[in-house]
């Protein structure tokens, strides 16, 4: 997540740099209104373009691969080494220092802006007359949103009229909208020198716009320029508002002498805007890769940040799939734009359009599975029903022996069977593949070689299993459950859902109460699970994995 935010902010900063540098060519252009919206649109585009995904055909430039590092891995000049070792060797955590510096700047600017909003927007009160011109103890003339603040010493000064006209122009043209957008950008990208240049450009253009409106009302230009000089002493201290002396430059006086040349301005911007838009797309946009039917991605666990080695990646409603490699990466060929199903035991299954898979990490969220014991007959052993045929009837399960579908089990020696899996869920990819409406029985024989076929590989996820299956689990719970005496006396019942993890050794750990109708039953139920025998661990791609489970236990009073 940190990588994604950093990359996004750097792309935004690059976009601001592109827009601000292009405006240096237009600084003396007389199309002030067009320039205002160009600067504002460029600022907004710098935030939006990095979020847009463009086809690779539009962006032919080569991109360096993005390296996503986890807390366990860091990259230095010598190559990839353990993160802990690198930190220990250098004795200095640069990432932490840079984060602290960034947050410090962020908080300082945020605190300053909040103070200004409180001081000039909330605390300061408008006159009872309803006029937004406020004569107060301030040192300089400035406008904050729709309020114009003027030092009290100018209350009877007739020369203040052009200044008030200038500030009212800021209010009428709603320059505060530009300033708010700009300050929000400064807040998040204060480390970028181009945002400060952009800020100056926007404010300078505001002053030119206000000056032009004042002169259009018949004010003498020479007298107005003299008035600007009279009010030009002091320090620029208000960034959320407009100050009369904000842009006392030679450029400002020169702009008053120029006339607007609309045709030349339109010609300039009609050339510059497409160039800048294309440059933003190339430099800051996200590229949609592999439009030729190849999905390349990386899968990570959200809780640990580690690569999801062995995660199942399958095209939905097909048997075409693959597994994530040691670094969580995968490559999958496809046609059209199918839905890709990514799953791993113990984590929520994701469904993503193939075209949406890029080099951005795909994160699997931890989840837990509920084992429903309500419809299970306790003490009834779970076994395999031997049929004469395999799938000859819609209600009969399909039988696979070492990956090969067989018609009957007459030739299979029970002593040669190593393990048996039963899959009943109709949403399972293998069940769909074999149209096994009655379920699927998968038998693995002892000393059998790894089955290789011409069919595309499909990962089978195995949930943890209690010895003897769900019937044995239900029998174990109720045989060992001690019904509280207090509950017996009151004749009450309840329901407690226990949540726990079956680790790679089959042990029950991280035991907790997920929900309960009565605390009276919680400890007796927890005691049953604390002493539970070993489970068969969950399996993913032939490896034992941890799986989070939930088991509801219903307690009924004895009659």
């Amino acid at each position: 997540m940190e990588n994604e935010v950093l990359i996004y902010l750097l792309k935004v900063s690059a976009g601001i740099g592109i827009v601000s540098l292009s405006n240096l060519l237009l600084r003396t252009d007389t199309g002030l209104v067009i320039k205002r919206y160009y600067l504002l649109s460029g600022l907004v585009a710098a935030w939006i373009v990095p979020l847009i995904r463009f086809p690779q055909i539009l962006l032919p430039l080569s991109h360096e691969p993005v390296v996503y590092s986890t807390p366990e891995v860091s990259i230095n000049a010598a190559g990839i080494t353990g993160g802990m070792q690198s930190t220990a060797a250098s004795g200095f955590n640069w990432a932490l220092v840079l984060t602290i510096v960034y947050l410090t700047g962020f908080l300082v600017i945020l605190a300053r802006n909040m103070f200004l909003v409180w001081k000039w927007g909330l605390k300061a009160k408008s006159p009872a007359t309803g006029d937004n011109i406020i004569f107060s103890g301030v040192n300089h003339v400035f406008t904050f949103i729709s309020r114009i603040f003027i030092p009290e010493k100018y209350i009877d000064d007739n020369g203040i009229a052009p200044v008030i006209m200038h500030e009212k122009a800021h209010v009428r043209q709603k320059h505060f909208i530009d300033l708010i957008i700009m300050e929000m950008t400064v807040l998040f990208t204060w480390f970028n020198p181009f945002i400060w240049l952009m800020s100056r450009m926007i404010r300078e253009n505001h002053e030119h716009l206000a000056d032009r409106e004042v002169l259009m009302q018949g004010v003498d230009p020479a007298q107005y320029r003299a008035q600007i000089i009279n009010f030009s002493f002091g320090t620029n201290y208000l960034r959320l508002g407009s100050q009369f002396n904000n842009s006392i430059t030679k450029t400002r006086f020169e702009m008053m002498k120029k006339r607007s040349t609309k045709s030349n301005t339109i010609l300039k911007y009609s050339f510059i805007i497409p160039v800048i838009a294309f440059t933003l797309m190339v430099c800051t946009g996200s590229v949609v890769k592999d439009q030729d039917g190849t999905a390349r991605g990386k899968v990570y666990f959200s809780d640990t940040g580690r690569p999801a080695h062995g995660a199942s990646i399958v095209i939905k409603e097909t048997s075409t799939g693959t597994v994530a490699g040691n670094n969580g990466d995968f490559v999958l060929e496809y046609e059209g734009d199918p839905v890709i199903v990514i799953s791993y035991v113990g984590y929520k299954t994701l469904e993503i359009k193939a075209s949406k898979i890029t080099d951005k990490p795909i994160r699997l969220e931890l989840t837990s599975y509920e084992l429903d014991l309500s419809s299970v007959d306790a003490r009834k052993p779970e076994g395999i029903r031997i049929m004469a045929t395999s799938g000859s009837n819609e209600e009969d399960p399909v039988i696979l022996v070492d990956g090969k579908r067989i018609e009957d089990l007459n030739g299979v020696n029970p002593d040669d069977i190593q393990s048996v899996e039963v899959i009943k869920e109709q949403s399972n990819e293998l069940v769909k593949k074999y149209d096994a409406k009655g379920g699927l029985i998968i038998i693995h024989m002892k000393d059998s070689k790894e089955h290789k076929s011409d069919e595309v590989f499909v990962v089978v996820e195995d949930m943890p299993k209690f010895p003897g299956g769900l019937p044995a689990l239900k029998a174990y719970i109720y045989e060992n459950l001690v019904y509280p005496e207090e509950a017996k006396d009151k004749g009450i019942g309840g329901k407690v859902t226990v949540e726990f993890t079956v680790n790679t050794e089959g042990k029950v750990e991280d035991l907790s109460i997920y929900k309960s109708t009565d605390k009276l039953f919680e400890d007796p139920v927890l005691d049953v699970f604390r002493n539970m025998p070993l489970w068969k661990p969950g399996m993913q791609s032939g490896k034992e994995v941890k799986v989070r489970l939930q088991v509801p236990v219903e307690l009924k009073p004895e009659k």
Side-chain angles (χ1 to χ4, degrees):
M1 183 62 183
E2 293 81 1
N3 262 356
E4 298 169 31
V5 173
L6 174 61
I7 291 170
Y8 177 64
L9 288 178
L10 290 177
K11 286 184 175 183
V12 171
S13 299
I16 292 170
I18 292 169
V19 175
S20 61
L21 289 176
S22 68
N23 193 63
L24 290 176
L25 303 174
L26 305 167
R27 191 174 183 186
T28 59
D29 187 81
T30 56
L32 302 180
V33 176
I34 297 178
K35 187 191 297 184
R36 176 192 178 186
Y37 291 110
Y38 170 74
L39 289 171
L40 188 60
S41 300
L43 202 60
V44 174
W47 284 103
I48 294 176
V49 172
L51 300 175
I52 301 175
R53 302 169 68 251
F54 300 99
Q56 193 172 22
I57 190 172
L58 294 180
L59 305 175
L61 299 183
S62 61
H63 287 252
E64 291 297 323
V66 179
V67 179
Y68 296 91
S69 60
T70 65
E72 294 78 17
V73 179
S74 62
I75 299 178
N76 54 31
I80 301 178
T81 60
M84 295 297 293
Q85 294 175 353
S86 176
T87 302
S90 65
F92 203 75
N93 191 333
W94 283 104
L96 179 61
V97 171
L98 292 176
T99 301
I100 292 174
V101 171
Y102 173 79
L103 291 177
T104 300
F106 178 90
L107 293 174
V108 168
I109 296 174
L110 179 64
R112 182 203 64 187
N113 289 342
M114 291 179 66
F115 173 75
L116 292 177
V117 170
W118 171 79
K119 184 177 182 180
W120 304 117
L122 301 177
K123 185 180 178 183
K125 296 181 179 180
S126 299
T129 59
D131 193 349
N132 283 334
I133 300 175
I134 303 173
F135 289 91
S136 65
V138 297
N139 297 321
H140 308 286
V141 178
F142 64 89
T143 299
F144 186 82
I145 305 180
S146 61
R147 295 177 175 182
I148 301 172
F149 292 86
I150 302 176
E152 290 180 339
K153 62 182 178 180
Y154 297 117
I155 194 169
D156 296 321
D157 189 342
N158 294 329
I160 198 70
V163 177
I164 294 177
M165 292 170 62
H166 178 97
E167 298 304 311
K168 284 185 176 180
H170 284 306
V171 175
R172 272 193 298 272
Q173 296 176 27
K174 295 181 172 53
H175 290 165
F176 70 90
I177 296 176
D178 308 30
L179 297 177
I180 290 174
I181 295 174
M182 182 194 69
E183 275 305 304
M184 290 299 295
T185 306
V186 169
L187 178 64
F188 288 97
T189 63
W190 63 266
F191 56 86
N192 178 20
F194 290 107
I195 187 56
W196 300 100
L197 176 62
M198 189 86 153
S199 171
R200 179 176 176 82
M201 291 175 176
I202 290 174
R203 293 175 181 280
E204 186 177 72
N205 196 58
H206 286 176
E207 296 305 310
H208 296 331
L209 285 165
D211 289 339
R212 176 174 291 178
E213 184 170 321
V214 171
L215 295 178
M216 288 177 65
Q217 295 183 42
V219 175
D220 180 74
Q223 181 184 354
Y224 181 59
R225 285 194 290 270
Q227 198 71 351
I228 289 177
I229 294 175
N230 291 337
F231 284 89
S232 65
F233 301 102
T235 305
N236 182 1
Y237 66 95
L238 183 71
R239 292 185 51 81
L240 277 172
S242 302
Q243 287 183 247
F244 185 76
N245 61 332
N246 183 71
S247 182
I248 178 62
T249 63
K250 181 181 178 181
T251 304
R252 184 173 174 186
F253 287 157
E254 291 177 349
M255 289 295 290
M256 293 184 193
K257 300 176 184 178
K258 292 185 177 182
R259 293 184 178 181
S260 176
T261 52
K262 189 174 181 180
S263 59
N264 290 341
T265 296
I266 293 175
L267 184 63
K268 289 179 184 178
Y269 281 99
S270 62
F271 171 75
I272 288 178
I273 290 176
V275 172
I276 296 304
F278 182 78
T279 305
L280 284 175
M281 289 190 294
V282 171
C283 296
T284 66
S286 300
V287 183
V288 179
K289 296 183 178 180
D290 300 307
Q291 292 299 303
D292 57 350
T294 303
R296 302 176 189 272
K298 293 178 179 290
V299 189
Y300 286 84
F301 296 128
S302 61
D303 56 327
T304 64
R306 295 177 180 272
H309 170 51
S312 167
I313 298 97
V314 180
I315 297 178
K316 189 174 182 180
E317 297 181 353
T318 74
S319 59
T320 304
T322 185
V323 293
N326 292 332
N327 296 322
D329 51 349
F330 65 89
V331 179
L332 183 62
E333 302 288 338
Y334 64 87
E335 295 181 2
D337 190 15
V339 174
I340 306 296
V341 180
I342 303 175
S343 60
Y344 196 99
V345 170
Y347 293 81
K348 292 180 181 178
T349 298
L350 293 180
E351 294 190 358
I352 308 174
K353 279 280 190 179
S355 60
K356 301 292 184 181
I357 296 176
T358 62
D359 52 9
K360 180 180 178 181
I362 300 169
R363 303 189 181 276
L364 298 179
E365 300 290 337
L366 195 65
T367 189
S368 58
Y369 299 90
E370 181 175 313
L371 301 181
D372 184 11
L373 302 180
S374 59
S375 58
V376 176
D377 294 332
R379 298 182 180 83
K380 180 180 179 181
E382 187 179 49
I384 304 172
R385 182 161 57 97
I386 307 296
M387 272 74 62
T389 59
S390 174
S392 60
N393 188 302
E394 279 192 348
E395 303 302 322
D396 294 337
V398 172
I399 304 171
L400 298 179
V401 177
D402 284 339
K404 183 179 179 181
R405 182 169 178 168
I406 65 172
E407 296 300 323
D408 60 65
L409 289 171
N410 294 332
V412 178
N413 187 348
D415 295 333
D416 294 334
I417 296 177
Q418 179 170 337
S419 63
V420 177
E421 300 175 56
V422 179
I423 304 176
K424 300 179 181 179
E425 295 81 3
Q426 293 299 307
S427 60
N428 184 275
E429 295 299 330
L430 280 181
V431 172
K432 291 179 181 178
K433 175 182 176 181
Y434 290 100
D435 194 25
K437 294 182 173 60
L440 190 65
I441 297 175
I442 303 174
I443 301 175
H444 301 282
M445 306 300 289
K446 295 178 182 178
D447 301 325
S448 64
K449 295 181 180 180
E450 183 179 358
H451 177 65
K452 296 183 180 179
S453 68
D454 295 332
E455 295 179 292
V456 180
F457 179 72
V458 176
V459 177
V460 179
E461 298 178 349
D462 297 332
M463 295 294 293
K465 295 181 178 63
F466 186 82
L470 293 183
L473 173 61
K474 186 171 183 179
Y476 174 86
I477 292 173
Y478 289 104
E479 286 174 0
N480 292 275
L481 181 63
V482 178
Y483 207 91
E485 292 296 330
E486 185 177 347
K488 287 182 181 179
D489 296 339
K490 294 180 179 180
I492 60 174
K495 187 176 183 179
V496 177
T497 300
V498 180
E499 189 171 47
F500 59 93
T501 298
V502 177
N503 66 18
T504 55
E505 298 176 354
K507 295 180 181 178
V508 171
E509 60 183 19
D510 298 332
L511 189 62
S512 64
I513 298 294
Y514 179 71
K515 58 184 176 181
S516 170
T517 59
D518 195 323
K519 288 186 175 295
L520 192 62
F521 300 108
E522 293 179 6
D523 285 337
V525 173
L526 287 175
D527 288 339
V528 174
F529 284 82
R530 287 191 183 102
N531 302 310
M532 191 165 279
L534 293 178
W535 290 55
K536 179 184 176 183
M539 302 288 290
Q540 178 82 21
S541 301
K543 290 176 57 179
E544 292 85 1
V545 293
K546 290 184 178 182
V547 180
R548 193 76 173 157
L549 298 175
Q550 293 177 6
V551 177
V553 179
E554 191 170 359
L555 299 96
K556 297 180 180 179
E558 297 180 359
K559 296 182 180 180

